[in-house]
């Protein structure tokens, strides 16, 4: 227990949300992270009645996402649009960890091409699934083995909390399908900046610094107004009834916190934070 706590960090991405004496909490999540927040999340959820997540996190739902990201009939490969030097650099960054057909959501081991295992791993994938597969493998290779969302989901289930999703899995797949291929290729072409990006993100997240987190987005494919701003409004509208009851903890991606908080303030809520837990 002592050594586990020693490895964990304080969670500063927590904001208190209150209106009409009904208090809840907003948690900005990192889908991948190099540190655990298990103790902090457990404390945050102990007295909660309802726990909210962006969308379903069960294995069946995740498998549906993967299935929708496969397009084996098209013959397209994302590497066809990348310079060979970029492909070699990305492969070097991931090898020898690129064994999974997809560790973005579901691990499914299979045989791969010895010449370039990464090429074979993302064969038959649409650009968005290929990108998340590559990026998540890169993060995991560098020790980013935790997920605030998944830790929250596991603890909420263990504590038998009422779990609510703000989006259906179909809506989330639609968002993924809308990601710009050009932004995906641009990010892959910046492979030489990935290390600094991940280090900056870790630093900003641990500090609970939303402004710096926003400024260091480096054109991440999903950091676009079509993904962030439009969904901020959806999240706000769908979580309102639970916040009105109080004792609710809402887990949303950290980039959504600013927009959702502004909408809550406009609706008469007081926002205090970050409320450090650890």
């Amino acid at each position: 227990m002592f050594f586990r706590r020693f490895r964990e960090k304080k969670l500063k991405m927590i904001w208190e949300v209150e209106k009409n004496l009904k208090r809840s909490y907003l948690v900005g999540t990192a889908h991948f992270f190099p540190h655990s927040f298990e103790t902090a999340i457990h404390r945050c959820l102990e007295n909660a009645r309802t726990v909210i997540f962006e969308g379903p996190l069960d294995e069946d739902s995740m498998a549906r996402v993967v299935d929708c990201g496969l397009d084996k009939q098209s013959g397209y490969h994302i590497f066809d649009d990348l310079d060979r030097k970029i492909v070699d650099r990305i492969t070097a960054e991931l090898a020898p960890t690129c064994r999974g057909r997809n560790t973005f959501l579901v691990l499914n081991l299979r045989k791969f091409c010895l010449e370039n295992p990464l090429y074979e791993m993302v064969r038959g994938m649409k650009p968005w699934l290929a990108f998340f597969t590559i990026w998540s493998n890169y993060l995991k290779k560098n020790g980013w083995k935790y997920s605030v969302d998944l830790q929250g989901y596991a603890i909420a289930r263990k504590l038998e909390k009422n779990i609510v999703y703000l989006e259906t899995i179909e809506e989330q797949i639609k968002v993924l399908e809308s990601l710009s291929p050009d932004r995906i290729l641009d990010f892959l072409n910046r492979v030489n900046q990935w290390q600094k990006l991940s280090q900056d993100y870790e630093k900003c997240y641990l500090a609970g610094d939303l402004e710096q987190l926003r400024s260091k987005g480096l054109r991440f494919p999903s950091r676009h107004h079509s993904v962030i701003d439009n969904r901020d409004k959806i999240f706000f509208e769908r979580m309102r009834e639970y916040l009105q009851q109080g004792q609710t903890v809402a887990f949303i991606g950290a980039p959504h916190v600013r927009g959702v908080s502004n909408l809550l303030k406009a609706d008469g809520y007081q926002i205090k934070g970050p409320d450090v837990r650890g």
Side-chain angles (χ1 to χ4, degrees), residues 129 133 183 218:
L129 181 58
T133 299
R183 289 178 65 90
L218 193 68

Side-chain angles (χ1 to χ4, degrees), residues 17-272:
V17 179
E18 185 173 344
K19 181 180 179 182
N20 298 328
L21 301 179
K22 299 294 185 180
R23 182 180 301 168
S24 296
Y25 292 93
L26 198 62
V27 179
T29 69
H31 302 318
F32 292 94
F33 208 66
H35 305 289
S36 170
F37 298 103
E38 182 177 355
T39 300
I41 293 173
H42 193 282
R43 289 179 178 175
C44 185
L45 297 186
E46 280 179 328
N47 297 318
R49 177 168 48 197
T50 300
V51 183
I52 297 175
F53 297 95
E54 289 185 12
L57 294 167
D58 60 281
E59 291 186 4
D60 288 343
S61 295
M62 297 300 96
R64 288 182 60 190
V65 174
V66 174
D67 287 342
C68 288
L70 297 176
D71 189 7
K72 299 179 180 179
Q73 304 302 319
S74 72
Y76 170 80
H77 197 292
I78 195 167
F79 284 1
D80 295 340
D81 290 327
L82 294 173
D83 182 83
R84 178 58 187 265
K85 291 182 179 179
I86 295 296
V87 173
D88 289 345
R89 175 65 186 271
I90 293 174
T91 302
E93 289 288 349
L94 270 65
T97 62
C98 46
R99 302 172 184 171
R101 190 52 189 150
N102 175 24
T103 55
F104 160 45
L105 296 168
V106 177
L107 185 65
N108 181 17
L109 300 181
R110 55 165 288 176
K111 294 182 180 179
F112 51 80
C113 171
L114 294 178
E115 181 180 355
N116 189 330
L118 182 58
Y119 185 95
E120 181 66 20
M121 184 175 70
V122 298
R123 183 193 296 274
M125 291 184 179
K126 296 178 182 178
W128 61 265
L129 181 58
F131 161 71
F132 281 114
T133 299
I134 293 169
W135 181 238
S136 60
N137 269 276
Y138 171 81
L139 292 176
K140 288 183 178 181
K141 180 192 174 186
N142 288 280
W144 291 52
K145 60 181 181 178
Y146 300 102
S147 166
V148 178
D149 311 79
L150 292 178
Q151 282 193 314
Y153 179 66
I155 293 171
R157 291 188 63 191
K158 182 178 180 180
L159 296 177
E160 299 183 332
K161 302 297 182 179
N162 176 41
I163 295 177
V164 173
Y165 304 115
L166 297 174
E167 294 177 316
T168 64
I169 199 63
E170 291 78 14
E171 289 174 315
Q172 294 206 310
I173 291 172
K174 185 177 180 179
V175 170
L176 292 170
E177 296 277 15
S178 74
L179 295 183
S180 165
D182 288 340
R183 289 178 65 90
I184 289 172
L185 291 172
D186 177 70
F187 190 87
L188 293 175
N189 276 308
R190 295 169 182 261
V191 59
N192 63 317
Q193 300 178 35
W194 288 3
Q195 182 178 14
K196 187 176 188 307
L197 170 64
S198 57
Q199 290 173 344
D200 287 346
Y201 185 92
E202 177 186 357
K203 181 179 178 180
C204 294
Y205 189 88
L206 288 174
D209 192 334
L210 291 176
E211 186 59 38
Q212 285 295 312
L213 203 63
R214 181 183 182 184
S215 68
K216 295 182 181 296
L218 193 68
R219 287 180 55 80
F220 195 78
S222 60
R223 307 279 172 82
H224 189 264
H225 67 84
S226 63
V227 177
I228 302 298
D229 297 348
N230 294 343
R231 295 172 75 215
D232 287 349
K233 299 174 184 177
I234 293 173
F235 292 168
F236 164 70
E237 291 292 342
R238 295 180 182 179
M239 70 170 63
R240 285 178 69 187
E241 65 174 291
Y242 302 101
L243 296 181
Q244 290 170 357
Q245 300 169 14
Q247 291 182 281
T248 294
V249 178
F251 288 80
I252 58 176
H256 291 286
V257 172
R258 178 181 297 277
V260 172
S261 294
N262 288 336
L263 292 169
L264 289 170
K265 290 177 183 177
D267 196 41
Y269 282 86
Q270 290 186 335
I271 311 291
K272 299 178 183 179

